[in-house]
Amino acid sequence: MKSTSLLFIITLVFAVNNCFAEFRAGIAFRVVTPDPLLPVSGGMGPSKAATQKAGELNVRALVLADEATKVAIVSADFLGFPSALGNKVRAQVKGIPPENILIGATHTHSAPDAYAFPDGKGGTAADLKYLDSVCARMAEAINEALAKAKPASLKIATGDAKGKIAYNYYADRLYDPRCHVMQCIGEDGKAFATLVNYAVHPEVIGASRGICSPDLIGPLYDRLQEQGGGVGIFMNSAQGGMVTADNRLPEGKEARDWDECVRIGNLLADEALRLVRNAPEQKSPRIFCEARTISFPVDSPQLRAVMAESPLGLGGKDATKVSTQFNLLNIGNAQILTIPGEALPNIGFYLKRNMRGEHNMLFGLCNDAFGYILTRVDWGSFKTYDYVSRVSLGEKTGEILIEEALKFVTEFPAPEKVK
Ligand SMILES: [Zn+2]
């Protein structure tokens, strides 16, 4: 009897150990559409009152774990999600180190202001109580995803998303058509989570129409779920200057409506599922996650004013520089680098080319969003770049990002190989 119970305990210990020795994944989300609706923001400056909604705003968390490391990849339907809020979320999560929590914004242009942009009259249209509730729901989603994490395998794929999805508004074809997909497969062989990483401005509806909406990301999630991809999560990429959703109509018009969000979101979901369908299954992918702090000088008077006046305490006490968390992540044969803003597509190409995974992903607008990120030769160059140069921290941002990224990639172990 005695030896049986000892055997039982030993078996149990082994079972518990085994449980942690395998790759696990979990995903959860919360709806954060404000009720009543709040004004929506598509950039610095005043918000626009919203009178209706199309789709729901979401915060979504994908937790991945191996025996040694746990990470959370989080996506929020906002224009940007500043680290001042992200750190409040991290403080409410037990069980995942704060530096292993990557929080990206989808960059929808029709959600409430999460930066508390100054309204020029000494106030802001942002609702700080609402933002606190978003932080609490995001933390709940991360905690739930962690609690639900179950044994899984991964499929990772990269390929061009075909069809009328994105284009560069400044110069049609200067964009990166590659879509990266990471799909979690349960022990029953079914997909339960699909991460889509693609560069695009979800601004079909935009901020001027008085509609609160996740834009094309809502229909992307709906379609992924309907087509067997499980719960979707979208991480934006290097979509600055000015990679946007292709909702062009003849004669220079744009569709700018929810039907077009549905068309583009569905097409991107179908393309992502097509790309990942025949990807090899990675049974026990390894995870490495490292975080550093990245700092940039704030040369732009406009951005300095936002930092100084926002009641959220953006950028800390010193308005001449900003710092945020900068992550490098290996998952299976993929490598991921975060970008705290909207990098132009040429920077995106360059970083991906120098990264060391078989799949190289950039999570744009991640851990913070400090405006556009241009190389110094692009900054202040074409007249077309006036706007993106003004809404950037300054001339040095791109070079600092590239230099820190290359250092990070070189000093970090390369991901495993599958092909
Ligand atoms: Zn933008």
Side-chain angles (χ1 to χ4, degrees):
M1 186 68 201
K2 212 173 176 183
S3 63
T4 314
S5 50
L6 186 65
L7 188 67
F8 175 74
I9 288 165
I10 291 169
T11 314
L12 196 68
V13 167
F14 267 99
V16 169
N17 277 342
N18 265 337
C19 167
F20 286 100
E22 60 203 338
F23 181 79
R24 290 173 301 138
I27 190 161
F29 66 92
R30 292 288 184 275
V31 171
V32 294
T33 313
D35 181 17
L37 294 173
L38 290 169
V40 294
S41 165
M44 290 196 300
S47 293
K48 162 95 184 174
T51 53
Q52 53 175 306
K53 66 175 180 178
E56 303 284 356
L57 303 180
N58 273 237
V59 289
R60 296 192 166 205
L62 173 65
V63 167
L64 305 172
D66 66 11
E67 71 275 14
T69 310
K70 296 189 190 87
V71 297
I73 297 169
V74 184
S75 180
D77 283 318
F78 291 95
L79 186 71
F81 204 76
S83 51
L85 296 181
N87 291 337
K88 284 188 188 178
V89 176
R90 293 183 175 102
Q92 294 173 55
V93 175
K94 307 260 180 301
I96 302 177
E99 66 276 13
N100 286 16
I101 300 175
L102 286 60
I103 304 175
T106 63
H107 203 48
T108 175
H109 279 44
S110 33
D113 171 15
Y115 273 79
F117 289 126
D119 62 5
K121 301 174 216 151
T124 170
D127 182 326
L128 302 185
K129 255 203 191 132
Y130 165 70
L131 293 177
D132 269 343
S133 79
V134 170
C135 291
R137 304 243 177 92
M138 190 183 281
E140 275 172 34
I142 300 169
N143 288 326
E144 184 187 321
L146 176 62
K148 285 202 313 206
K150 58 182 184 184
S153 60
L154 267 192
K155 279 180 170 185
I156 304 176
T158 297
D160 288 2
K162 300 210 170 102
K164 194 169 167 244
I165 300 174
Y167 77 114
N168 190 324
Y169 182 78
Y170 293 162
D172 288 32
R173 283 178 286 177
L174 301 192
Y175 76 102
D176 185 348
R178 283 172 293 180
C179 178
H180 308 277
V181 191
M182 188 185 288
Q183 189 169 67
C184 305
I185 316 282
E187 286 180 313
D188 58 1
K190 287 187 184 147
F192 63 90
T194 301
L195 180 147
V196 178
N197 175 227
Y198 184 73
V200 67
H201 267 71
E203 57 175 350
V204 174
I205 290 178
S208 63
R209 303 201 45 213
I211 301 172
C212 177
S213 176
D215 207 84
L216 64 94
I217 307 305
L220 167 80
Y221 289 161
D222 293 345
R223 182 71 155 207
L224 288 171
Q225 184 90 58
E226 284 160 19
Q227 295 298 312
V231 178
I233 179 165
F234 176 77
M235 299 302 284
N236 220 322
S237 185
Q239 41 54 277
M242 191 58 89
V243 181
T244 193
D246 192 350
N247 70 134
R248 289 175 292 181
L249 296 173
E251 295 165 19
K253 298 200 177 88
E254 291 178 322
R256 310 213 55 198
D257 59 15
W258 179 247
D259 284 350
E260 189 66 354
C261 292
V262 172
R263 185 193 66 78
I264 298 173
N266 285 356
L267 180 53
L268 181 55
D270 290 346
E271 283 298 286
L273 294 174
R274 174 184 66 79
L275 290 168
V276 81
R277 193 161 298 134
N278 297 319
E281 213 168 316
Q282 302 182 40
K283 292 284 183 195
S284 40
R286 305 275 311 273
I287 303 173
F288 292 93
C289 181
E290 191 113 323
R292 289 177 181 174
T293 298
I294 189 164
S295 301
F296 304 97
V298 187
D299 295 329
S300 151
Q302 265 174 306
L303 266 71
R304 211 178 269 193
V306 170
M307 310 278 174
E309 289 171 38
S310 166
L312 292 176
L314 305 173
K317 285 186 192 104
D318 180 4
T320 63
K321 65 169 202 174
V322 282
S323 303
T324 194
Q325 179 175 313
F326 184 37
N327 283 100
L328 191 62
L329 187 58
N330 291 344
I331 302 171
N333 66 342
Q335 186 160 68
I336 296 164
L337 194 60
T338 61
I339 298 177
E342 304 179 60
L344 264 64
N346 52 342
I347 295 180
F349 276 109
Y350 182 71
L351 293 178
K352 284 186 188 180
R353 180 155 61 82
N354 282 283
M355 289 165 70
R356 298 163 74 196
E358 288 173 337
H359 304 277
N360 295 322
M361 311 189 194
L362 301 169
F363 287 176
L365 301 129
C366 195
N367 297 330
D368 215 319
F370 300 134
Y372 294 97
I373 300 178
L374 294 77
T375 61
R376 68 170 166 240
V377 293
D378 281 338
W379 193 90
S381 60
F382 310 112
K383 202 155 183 36
T384 307
Y385 281 173
D386 272 1
Y387 172 72
V388 290
S389 299
R390 260 187 296 119
V391 187
S392 82
L393 293 170
E395 184 181 331
K396 301 184 194 79
T397 326
E399 262 67 27
I400 293 171
L401 174 74
I402 290 169
E403 193 183 320
E404 293 294 318
L406 295 184
K407 244 198 279 170
F408 214 167
V409 164
T410 314
E411 290 166 12
F412 204 62
E416 58 207 34
K417 301 236 179 287
V418 169
K419 276 179 199 157

